[in-house]
Amino acid sequence: MKKDMCGMFLPEITAAILPVGLEKYRARQIAEWLYQRGASEFSEMTNLAKKQREILAEHFLINSVRVLDRQHSQDTKTSKFLLELEDKHTIETVLMRQPYGNSVCVSTQVGCGMGCLFCASNLHGLMRNLTAGEILSEILFINNYLKNQEEKVNTIVIMGSGEPLANYEHVIKFIKLCHEEYSLNLSYRNITLSTCGLVPGIERLIQEKMPINLSISLHAPNNEIRSRLMPVNRTFAMEKVLAAGDYYGRETGRRVTYEYTLIKGINDSRENALELARKVAGQLASVNLIPVNPVPERGLMRPDLAVINNFEQILKSKHINVTVRREMGTDIQAACGQLRNKNLPG
Ligand code: SAH
């Protein structure tokens, strides 16, 4: 089988092309074509001799994605794309035009195996991990899409379908590739990874010494509620997750964000807010409240605005740093696997 060149570090490209007779300096040209100029075929690499392009095409491939469906929010700020991979699996990628630039939310797996009650990504379970090159091709697709406006991707949130720390090697390679100067040349500070709380993965991430932002999906103030919403809590209990978050903050000096999806009648009471405040007090962290994208089939609804505001105020009164997520893209099913599900057969 031909090896995928998109997703290789520069030294890997060098090691791949020397045996087929290309000069070492060609590796950088190829990397720039792949990662900076968005080439999807070797034939586009016009500063290489024609013969060399043919040799490359004989031995390697460039994975690329094909867009099957797209939706734009009414305010045009959010665009969601359903992308097809080489093996016909589909994934979702979301572009959000924020005041600070173009932010892209990437998927890291086809489906998800974590089984969170409120999340649409796992209705069909985990199909497979994405490779580093496939995750990167989500960004390259958006960069191509933005090219006409002479814009590109500025920040990346690893918050799409899938659990990134359950696909550790590929996700870390993807992040490092985004950072390389011959690739996207993005600062680690412009990258955020969101996890449901795989504690060993968080500890491993700290050792990577990459100052990326970490979000942890907490969604509950105690183990009882959390285990109901997130089966993963039965493996990694909330105290362990909070301790790992605290450790991440202290080791990296980066503020951790705890994501808390507010669900009517489940985790939105005054007692829930007070208990949450006690649990995160003293950490270099903030809480991001997300009014749930309703899942009526499971009876999960959004609290009234007054309840959301009250929850926020209680946290503030306890000196917790708190934000409420601004609505983006709910009118286009931009939440977590919804577009993909709409397009899956059966
Ligand atoms: N597996 C990772 C990243 C993907 S989910 C994680 O768990 O963090 C990205 C975020 O969207 C998580 O905080 C997740 O809990 C949240 N989310 C999933 N379904 C949602 C819904 N219906 N409404 C609001 N947020 C949701």
Side-chain angles (χ1 to χ4, degrees):
M1 217 177 85
K2 290 185 191 178
K3 256 194 125 178
D4 185 4
M5 204 163 251
C6 176
M8 286 188 187
F9 289 121
L10 188 57
E12 292 176 304
I13 299 179
T14 308
I17 63 169
L18 288 178
V20 297
L22 271 72
E23 309 93 321
K24 183 166 184 258
Y25 76 94
R26 297 290 185 189
R28 179 169 283 271
Q29 292 177 325
I30 295 170
E32 288 173 358
W33 276 109
L34 288 174
Y35 304 134
Q36 298 183 351
R37 302 165 83 165
S40 56
E41 306 274 351
F42 291 108
S43 58
E44 293 171 48
M45 303 183 175
T46 45
N47 53 358
L48 273 65
K50 188 155 177 286
K51 183 74 198 147
Q52 294 184 316
R53 288 180 255 157
E54 284 165 9
I55 292 174
L56 288 174
E58 243 169 65
H59 292 87
F60 305 100
L61 59 88
I62 303 173
N63 88 72
S64 58
V65 290
R66 198 164 70 88
V67 59
L68 291 185
D69 195 2
R70 69 186 82 195
Q71 293 179 346
H72 304 284
S73 63
Q74 268 163 20
D75 64 8
T76 72
K77 287 197 181 128
T78 306
S79 303
K80 180 162 190 165
F81 302 89
L82 183 74
L83 303 178
E84 186 184 67
L85 305 167
E86 299 281 350
D87 67 358
K88 306 284 175 205
H89 274 122
T90 55
I91 52 167
E92 296 177 354
T93 304
V94 184
L95 164 65
M96 293 159 286
R97 294 161 189 276
Q98 306 275 16
Y100 49 82
N102 293 309
S103 180
V104 171
C105 177
V106 293
S107 294
T108 54
Q109 298 181 312
V110 181
C112 185
M114 294 295 132
C116 298
L117 190 67
F118 45 81
C119 183
S121 298
N122 52 50
L123 289 176
H124 300 263
L126 173 66
M127 307 300 285
R128 70 169 175 84
N129 283 331
L130 298 184
T131 63
E134 285 173 325
I135 307 170
L136 190 60
S137 64
E138 297 179 57
I139 304 292
L140 300 177
F141 167 80
I142 300 287
N143 271 343
N144 265 337
Y145 175 79
L146 291 170
K147 216 187 229 159
N148 295 342
Q149 298 138 60
E150 293 188 17
E151 286 184 35
K152 57 183 183 180
V153 174
N154 307 108
T155 61
I156 296 176
V157 290
I158 307 172
M159 265 193 207
S161 296
E163 168 48 45
L165 298 182
N167 181 15
Y168 191 90
E169 307 285 341
H170 287 300
V171 168
I172 296 300
K173 187 172 190 193
F174 159 72
I175 295 172
K176 289 186 173 161
L177 266 172
C178 290
H179 181 65
E180 292 291 346
E181 126 291 326
Y182 55 80
S183 181
L184 304 182
N185 201 10
L186 271 183
S187 156
Y188 284 130
R189 287 163 203 275
N190 292 345
I191 301 176
T192 300
L193 182 147
S194 180
T195 176
C196 63
L198 300 186
V199 171
I202 297 173
E203 288 167 349
R204 213 172 145 193
L205 189 60
I206 294 169
Q207 308 308 322
E208 305 281 349
K209 306 270 180 230
M210 304 183 300
I212 60 168
N213 306 301
L214 182 67
S215 277
I216 298 181
S217 296
L218 207 56
H219 304 320
N222 57 47
N223 282 314
E224 193 202 330
I225 301 176
R226 196 163 190 268
S227 292
R228 244 172 91 194
L229 294 174
M230 305 175 71
V232 67
N233 193 64
R234 294 174 206 146
T235 312
F236 302 109
M238 194 165 143
E239 311 73 68
K240 299 230 165 67
V241 175
L242 285 166
D246 187 35
Y247 183 35
Y248 190 91
R250 280 186 288 113
E251 287 293 309
T252 62
R254 311 288 297 156
R255 185 188 293 275
V256 171
T257 302
Y258 290 110
E259 307 281 349
Y260 193 102
T261 299
L262 281 167
I263 310 171
K264 190 172 192 162
I266 293 189
N267 63 3
D268 63 343
S269 72
R270 180 181 156 75
E271 291 67 42
N272 296 154
L274 288 168
E275 190 174 7
L276 177 65
R278 282 199 300 278
K279 299 279 171 74
V280 300
Q283 284 205 26
L284 178 67
S286 58
V287 172
N288 189 19
L289 299 174
I290 313 161
V292 71
N293 287 303
V295 189
E297 304 88 320
R298 293 180 181 165
L300 306 179
M301 304 308 289
R302 191 174 275 201
D304 298 333
L305 195 58
V307 173
I308 297 171
N309 290 340
N310 200 30
F311 202 97
E312 182 190 11
Q313 285 314 318
I314 295 171
L315 292 178
K316 278 195 173 148
S317 73
K318 298 291 172 190
H319 311 290
I320 306 295
N321 233 298
V322 56
T323 51
V324 181
R325 181 178 285 181
R326 284 188 306 121
E327 287 286 350
M328 279 198 107
T330 26
D331 60 324
I332 58 164
Q333 300 172 312
C336 321
Q338 294 178 343
L339 179 61
R340 176 166 170 265
N341 287 330
K342 194 188 101 197
N343 283 269
L344 280 180

